[in-house]
Structure formats: C-alpha cells, structure tokens
C-alpha cells in the first residue's frame, strides 16, 4: 500500500519502464556524479538514496560505499529496486517516505535525492528528517531542474509557467544549501525512446510540439546541484 504521505510522481510511478529509458539517457558523462565527488566522496560512506524508485543509482553507489540504503514509497518500485540490488552486499531497500525516513538518527554520511520530493517550499518535513539522520560531517545532495537555462529548462518552464526559480533558490539558500549550476544532457540511442520519455515528462500538447520541433537524440539539460554539509 502506498503511504498517504507519499507525493505521487507523474513519470516513474505511471511509466517505470519508460523512466528506465530516461535514466539510461541522462548524464552519460556523469557530470552530476563528478560534481558530487568534488564535494563529498561516497567512498566508505553510508549512502541514503531518498526516492530511489527502481534503484537505478544504487549499484553505482554500492561500488564504493560502505553501506547503501534506498527508500521508496511506491511498493512496486521498491520491489523492483530490491530485485536490482539482490546479491549486492551492504545494500538494502526500505519502504518509506522522505517525511518519515526508516533510518536511525545520525547514521547517514551522504544523502542523495534526485528529482524526488525536495522541490523547494513545502519540503520542510523532509528536511527535518535529514537533520535527524545525517551524521556530523555528512553531506546531503538534492538534484533538481534549472528552469532558467538550457533546452530542457525552456521546456520545463513552459510546462509549469507558475514555477518561480528565484523563489526556489531563495528557499534553498535560506535552509543552508549551496548551489552548483551544472549542464549535462539527455543522450538517447533510439528516437522512439526519446519520444516516449518526452511524453511522460510533459503535458501531451507540449510533448507533441517538442517531438515535432526537436530533431535528433540529444538535449542539453541544466540542473541545480544543491548541497549542505552537516
């Protein structure tokens, strides 16, 4: 059963198979991962992936972390994540929400939330949970869209015209987070995969306009890497 406190994700919850195609296309040069590593390595750390979905990032963390915990509110996705990491030592997937993390106090050294729950104002309960579970010296990372630039940012801004990037930035700064502006890309190997992903990410009319007007398989994509040391 999905917890009442869970905030539905319109893309992966409804279309996990298509979202898998998106994960494979995102950031082939590992721009985000490299930036995270400059701030706080996962080597020997207890890594918490909040909203881990089907566990796409968990095996990568497990290559170098001491322990990896994925938390996911959607039972079907959590089960898929467990299948993905079966047999990997030190990796677990727990059912739960960001507002009530099933993790003890002061044990996490690297927290990772990528396009999950932490979207600015309104996520204060989840931030309170980060305050509880983070270990002194640990770092929490939040990855979200930068609506002020890039091709994808322009599409995102058109899909959510009421979105206020400046207000979101003020929120994160007020909570003690630092922003690193990054540019990565989508890079698909198949046009059908690109079109399927566009259709789960944007309203139907905009998605069809994007598909008709954007040739090729690559999209420049700006993100904000928000991070805070505890």
């Amino acid at each position: 059963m999905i917890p009442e406190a869970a905030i539905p994700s319109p893309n992966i919850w409804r279309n996990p198979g298509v979202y898998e195609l998106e994960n494979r296309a995102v950031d082939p040069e590992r721009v985000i991962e490299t930036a995270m590593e400059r701030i706080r390595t996962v080597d020997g750390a207890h890594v918490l992936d909040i909203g881990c979905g089907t566990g796409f990032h968990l095996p990568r963390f497990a290559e170098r972390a001491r322990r990896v915990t994925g938390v996911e509110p959607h039972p079907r996705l959590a089960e898929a994540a467990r299948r993905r990491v079966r047999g990997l030592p030190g990796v677990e997937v727990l059912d739960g929400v960001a507002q009530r993390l099933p993790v003890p106090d002061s044990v996490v050294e690297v927290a990772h939330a990528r396009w999950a729950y932490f979207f600015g104002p309104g996520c204060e309960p989840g931030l309170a949970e980060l305050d509880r579970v983070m270990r002194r010296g640990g770092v929490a990372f939040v990855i979200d869209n930068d609506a002020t630039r890039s091709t994808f940012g322009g599409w995102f801004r058109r899909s959510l015209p009421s979105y206020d990037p400046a207000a979101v930035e003020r929120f994160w700064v007020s909570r003690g987070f630092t922003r690193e502006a990054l540019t990565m890309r989508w890079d698909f190997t198949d046009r059908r995969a690109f079109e399927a992903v566009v259709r789960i990410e944007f309203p139907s009319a905009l998605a069809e306009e994007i598909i008709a007007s954007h040739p090729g398989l690559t999209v420049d994509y700006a993100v904000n890497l928000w991070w805070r040391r505890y």
Side-chain angles (χ1 to χ4, degrees), residues 177-198:
F177 280 75
T178 299
R179 181 173 72 101
E180 184 154 352
L182 305 174
T183 302
M184 50 93 173
R185 62 190 173 101
W186 272 352
D187 190 11
F188 292 89
T189 58
D190 183 283
R191 180 69 186 184
R192 289 173 298 178
F194 165 78
E195 293 180 4
V197 168
V198 167

Side-chain angles (χ1 to χ4, degrees), residues 30-226:
R30 294 179 174 168
V31 171
I32 296 171
E33 180 181 334
T34 300
M36 289 171 59
E37 283 289 310
R38 288 198 301 266
I39 297 163
R40 201 332 178 158
T41 180
V42 302
D43 289 348
H46 181 179
V47 176
L48 173 65
D49 191 0
I50 303 169
C52 70
T54 58
F56 186 84
H57 301 286
L58 301 182
R60 179 70 177 170
F61 290 138
E63 292 175 6
R64 293 159 52 205
R66 180 182 80 257
R67 181 178 179 184
V68 179
T69 301
V71 173
E72 171 56 45
H74 195 296
R76 182 163 59 116
L77 301 184
E79 185 53 38
R82 292 186 186 99
R83 290 195 299 270
R84 176 172 247 138
V85 301
R86 190 169 292 150
L88 292 180
V91 185
E92 62 181 348
V93 177
L94 304 176
D95 298 285
V97 295
Q99 307 95 308
R100 292 193 301 273
L101 293 169
V103 176
D105 296 353
S106 305
V107 296
V108 174
E109 289 145 320
V110 176
H112 170 265
R114 189 176 299 212
W115 297 300
Y117 178 78
F118 294 96
F119 300 121
C123 74
E124 290 86 350
L127 290 174
E129 278 291 85
L130 280 179
D131 290 344
R132 180 182 66 81
V133 304
M134 293 302 298
R135 190 172 182 177
R136 185 174 179 82
V139 174
F141 294 101
V142 173
I143 296 100
D144 199 6
N145 296 320
D146 182 348
T148 67
R149 59 194 181 89
S150 80
T151 299
F152 187 93
W155 296 343
F156 179 76
R157 198 163 56 247
R158 290 179 62 194
S159 70
L160 290 172
S162 63
Y163 184 82
D164 185 347
V168 173
E169 180 173 358
R170 288 194 299 270
F171 172 83
W172 286 114
V173 171
S174 74
R175 303 296 303 207
F177 280 75
T178 299
R179 181 173 72 101
E180 184 154 352
L182 305 174
T183 302
M184 50 93 173
R185 62 190 173 101
W186 272 352
D187 190 11
F188 292 89
T189 58
D190 183 283
R191 180 69 186 184
R192 289 173 298 178
F194 165 78
E195 293 180 4
V197 168
V198 167
R199 289 186 174 112
I200 70 167
E201 288 293 350
F202 300 104
S204 57
L206 176 59
E208 297 310 314
E209 181 181 335
I210 290 169
I211 289 167
S213 63
H214 187 85
L217 303 173
T218 300
V219 180
D220 58 298
Y221 192 143
V223 298
N224 288 321
L225 174 65
W226 294 101

